[in-house]
Amino acid sequence: MEQFEAGTFDCIVVGAGHAGAEAALAAAKRGAKTLVLTMNLDMIAFMPCNPSLGGPAKGIVVREIDALGGAMGKVIDKTHIQMRLLNTRKGPAVRALRAQADKVLYQSEMKRLIEEQDHLTLRQDVVERLIVEDDVVQGVVTQTGAVYRATTVVVTTGTFLRGEIIIGNLRYSSGPNNQKPAVKLAENLEELGFESVRFKTGTPPRLNSKTIDYSKTEIQPGDEEPRAFSYETTEFITDQLPCWLTYTTPETHRLISDNLHLAPMYSGMIKGKGPSYCPSIEDKIVRFADKGRHQIFLEPEGRNTKEVYVQGLSTSLPEHIQRQLVASVPGLEEAEIMRAGYAIEYDSIVPTQLWPTLETKRVKNLYTAGQLNGTSGYEEAAGQGLMAGINAAGRALGEEELVLGREEAYIGVLIDDLVTKGTREPYRLLTSRAEYRLLLRHDNADMRLTETGHRIGLISDDRYERFLHKKEQIEKELERLKKVTVKPSDEVQEALESVNSTMIKEPLKALDLLKRPEVPYEVIERVAPDEQPVPADVAEQVEIFTKYEGYIKKSLQQVDKMKRMEDKKIPEDIDYDAITGIASEGRAILKEVRPLSIAQASRISGVNPADISILLVYIEQGDIARIKESETK
């Protein structure tokens, strides 16, 4: 194929899934002349698996993306068919929004944003090769021979690298949803020396809603109270669609047990490692043989389609067995399969080959993001894409790059885990992965990240002013409650009794009353109202901070301790082989990951505390410099 010069840009984004869309928009909003290349313009921000966003940890990531100036929250707010706040009876650290998406509307809205964004060019083409000279990326070459030059490149190819779909004993080369796989680009990354692993994920059948008997299932409606992911959303969707709950049966389990030899993951046909936290229905039956039934959620894929996603029935069994499995579930006896479930295997690069900015260590100015880095989930992909786009634009324009700490965002936890520890299976964010999860809440993403988003140019001045006003209101209300005295009147006692709280015998500061676990802010509004009503989002922050003040202060103390370790930088040219005392395993891993600080080194799997102590002594005493000096003589 004859090549031709097709254009020069500051940043090129390869792929326009959830990672690519956020990367392209972020880079362009920072002012970088950006090109996004995708195989299919009709597949921008496509949801090949579940038609939903959010949930524990993941929903907080969507809010963080919005607080930084990303797009995902705004788009799902405009295109969802149902919204629910999960874990409302639990503490604020685990509450999270989850939305059912209208898949087609979500895609079209994200495509509209990309098409309308200044400094952003959108084109359909297949990237086959990166242009790399002296270990610095210079651009890309497409299958049509087009040569695009750029200062930085962000690769976000999802599960397309050498993708293969597997159903029973059928195996064929394909990306998700029967799209074209990326084979030549995978070969090119291999030629450039990138280490990859083979991962696997899967998806359940889609059913025709007209053939489902919903009378045998349990309705799962959305919340009546309007909710949103984006802090900018002011108009809410009220005509929500329900989901439905049903269960597997003994017949379902028998069918699977009798046909395990046909399941690719048990027959040996699938080699890639799948996510243990999201097993196929075959794996569930084997691993949890003592469990009598498993939940199956029926989730509509949109307002203008009859396709229903069968959450909990992910499978790669042969299609004729899938038909029997579906028919064994109450309500699905006559259900018609519109698309069969399948497994997909794909190449993923080992993420310890990346710096915390998501730039690759092997090739300068080349960034990667999304499932290519070993994660699963649209939210994890979008969070990485946003950060890669921010940093690629920053590098190209000579401006600030950004690395979020583990105490600042779940996005920071995600990226630090990937580049420091790596992953042996598709990585999914869980609340348990965050040591400071009381600080990383659903409700305070704006408090944590809006200032950063404004500083790097993704948050408008108008939005930033509104944020500062909210912050001021919170501080003002906290000060007011410290001063206002609540006296033991009949009205006060009645209000306390209504929430089963002990009556007061002497005057009490309103803030002390709010510290009681059982006393909500609504009671304070009754017994100590302000002249001007406090907005609900301000009241929420005041109540959480007041009730959890001790825990929050303790977490912040831990953060300060960790920051002191983060401040202890490790020289980039350090020679680990010259440091005696570090265990051989620890030395090998340190050489591979090349941590930037003592704190990061301490989080690496396989590096023990004794190794860290020795490393710390060498750095603090300046022995590293003496070693380097002696080597040069």
Side-chain angles (χ1 to χ4, degrees), residues 155 348-351 354 358 368-375 384 418 423:
V155 179
S348 171
I349 70 164
V350 176
L354 308 173
L358 296 181
T368 61
Q371 285 186 268
L372 172 62
N373 288 348
T375 60
Q384 291 175 71
L418 289 174
T423 183

Side-chain angles (χ1 to χ4, degrees), residues 79 90 96 129 205 262 312 389 406 449 466 513 527 578 615:
T79 60
K90 298 181 179 180
R129 184 167 60 83
L262 300 177
R406 298 179 70 89
L449 298 170
R466 293 196 303 272
L513 198 59
V527 302
L615 178 60

